[in-house]
Amino acid sequence: MDKKDLKSLTFDELKMEIEGLGEKPFRAKQLYQWMHEKLASDFSEMTNLSQNFRQKLQEHYTYTSLEMVDHLVSGADGTEKFLFRLNDGNVIESVLMRYHHGNSVCISSQVGCRMGCRFCASTLGGLTRNLLPSEMLDQVYKIQKISGERVSNLVVMGTGEPLDNYENLLRFLRLLTDEHGLHISQRNVTVSTCGIVENIRKLAEERLQITLALSLHASSQEKRKELMPIAYKYELEDVLDACRYYFLQTGRRITFEYSLVGGVNDTEEDARRLSHLLDGFNCHVNLIPVNPIKERNYVQSNRTVIEAFKNKLEKYRINVTIRREMGRDIGGACGQLRKSYIDAKEREKGYENV
Ligand code: SAH
C-alpha cells in the first residue's frame, strides 16, 4: 500500500495514525504543531520528538517539502516569484504579492493544466498531475519562511484548475484555515475557476466563507468557446446559475474575471452584452489586461479601450476594477517562469542527445 502523506492529514486523522503507531496522543499535537505552525521542512527539525518516533514516521509516511530552484524579486513593487521543485522532480510556480492590507500568496493547484484556455501559458504542456494538499500548503509555508513575513491572504490563481483537483483543494483549504495551523481567515481566500459547474455547486454546499472567482472572459457562449474550451462542456447560463447558487449558499459576492484581449473581447458591444448578462447580479468584475504569451498572438487592449470598457460597465452600475499588474518587471504571465525552466531543460537534453 502507498504510504500516507503526513502533512495532508487532518488533526483527527493524525491522532488516529499516531495511536496506531502505539504513541501517546499528545505526540499527535506536537507533530501537528511542527508541521502546520512551526512549518518544519523535515523530521530532523522536530527536536522534541524522540529519535525512535521520528524514525517510525520516516518509515511509515511520506513528508513533502519544496526546494526553491528560482526566485525573482520585482524592484518595482516587491512582488516575488518562486519556482519550487517537488519531491518527484516536477516544478511549480508561486507568487508573493505585497499589498497594504497584507501579504498575499498565489499558489498552483496542479502541475500543468488540462483546461486549454487559449491565452494561458500554464496549459500549453497539458496536465502532469494533481498537487497534494500538503504541496499546496508547502507553497504558503515555504514563502512565509523565506520572507519571514506573515501570509494573510491566499489566492488559488496559479497554474492548474483548482476545481479539477477538488478533494485535495478542500482538504488544503481546511488545513490552511484551521485554527491550529496558519489560521488564515476563510474570507481572505479566493479560489479561481474556469467554471466546472458541478464542482461550483458542490463547493457552495460546503458553505465556506471563501471568495469564488469565475473566469468569464467573454460576454457570450460563442465568444467564450473561442477562448476557453471548457465552454464546449458547460453553457454560459449554467455557469452563471452555479455562481448564483454559490452566492445564495454562502452570501459571498462572486468575482468575475475578464481578461481583455485586444480586438477579441473588448468591444463596446462586448461591454454592453456583459452588462446585461450580469444585470442584478451581486458581483464584482475584475478586468485583467491580457498578459501576452509568445505562443499566441493575442495582444493587450490599449488603455483607452480598457477605460471605455470599464466606464460602460459602471454605467450599468456594475462594480468593476482594473487589475493592477504586479511584478511587471519580473515579467510574464502565470506559468511562464515554469515554462521557460522546462523549455531550457528540454534544450539541454537536446544538446546532450546530439
Ligand atoms: N484555472 C483557474 C485559475 C487560472 S489563473 C481559472 O481558470 O480561473 C487565474 C486567472 O488568470 C484566470 O482568470 C485566467 O483565465 C487568467 N489568465 C491566465 N493566463 C492569462 C494571461 N496570459 N493574461 C491574462 N489573464 C490570464
Side-chain angles (χ1 to χ4, degrees), residues 119-120 157-158 160-162 192-194 215 217 257 259 288 290-291 333:
F119 44 79
C120 180
M157 289 192 185
E161 168 47 48
S192 177
T193 177
C194 63
S215 299
H217 306 322
E257 294 164 282
S259 295
I288 314 169
V290 79
N291 209 331

Side-chain angles (χ1 to χ4, degrees), residues 167-224:
E167 297 304 329
N168 287 349
L169 175 81
L170 252 281
R171 200 171 256 275
F172 157 72
L173 292 174
R174 295 204 188 283
L175 289 164
L176 183 80
T177 57
D178 182 43
E179 59 176 329
H180 299 298
L182 282 195
H183 198 191
I184 292 182
S185 160
Q186 287 184 5
R187 288 172 173 267
N188 292 351
V189 174
T190 298
V191 171
S192 177
T193 177
C194 63
I196 298 182
V197 169
E198 58 273 17
N199 287 351
I200 292 177
R201 289 181 169 271
K202 221 159 123 185
L203 186 65
E205 283 162 11
E206 303 283 346
R207 305 255 175 124
L208 300 175
Q209 281 300 295
I210 60 174
T211 299
L212 182 72
L214 191 283
S215 299
L216 192 56
H217 306 322
S219 59
S220 70
Q221 172 69 359
E222 280 316 303
K223 278 212 177 183
R224 200 162 187 261

Side-chain angles (χ1 to χ4, degrees), residues 9-19 28 32:
L9 299 175
T10 63
F11 181 61
D12 288 343
E13 289 167 345
L14 190 67
K15 250 188 344 209
M16 302 234 298
E17 293 288 327
I18 296 311
E19 282 173 29
Y32 195 85

Side-chain angles (χ1 to χ4, degrees), residues 23-80:
E23 295 282 339
K24 299 235 160 52
F26 77 93
R27 293 286 175 211
K29 199 161 176 196
Q30 286 179 322
L31 180 57
Y32 195 85
Q33 217 170 34
W34 275 115
M35 294 192 288
H36 301 289
E37 234 180 272
K38 300 184 192 165
L39 317 182
S41 314
D42 58 56
F43 295 124
S44 69
E45 290 180 26
M46 304 180 183
T47 45
N48 63 354
L49 304 181
S50 71
Q51 277 291 354
N52 176 41
F53 182 34
R54 284 189 249 166
Q55 189 67 37
K56 268 200 244 177
L57 292 173
Q58 193 109 41
E59 279 165 23
H60 289 88
Y61 302 95
T62 56
Y63 194 78
T64 57
S65 66
L66 302 179
E67 185 197 343
M68 189 172 79
V69 288
D70 203 358
H71 183 198
L72 304 176
V73 182
S74 160
D77 55 29
T79 296
E80 300 185 27

Side-chain angles (χ1 to χ4, degrees), residues 273-321:
R273 252 196 328 239
L274 181 62
S275 304
H276 287 174
L277 210 56
L278 301 182
D279 188 26
F281 210 124
N282 192 347
C283 66
H284 173 96
V285 174
N286 204 203
L287 298 175
I288 314 169
V290 79
N291 209 331
I293 57 173
K294 65 175 189 311
E295 291 78 4
R296 308 264 187 262
N297 37 28
Y298 291 131
V299 294
Q300 273 193 6
S301 314
N302 67 43
R303 215 61 215 175
T304 47
V305 169
I306 296 175
E307 286 297 334
F309 201 94
K310 175 170 180 269
N311 292 340
K312 190 93 185 167
L313 294 191
E314 280 174 341
K315 263 207 189 109
Y316 286 87
R317 296 175 191 281
I318 292 174
N319 293 302
V320 52
T321 46

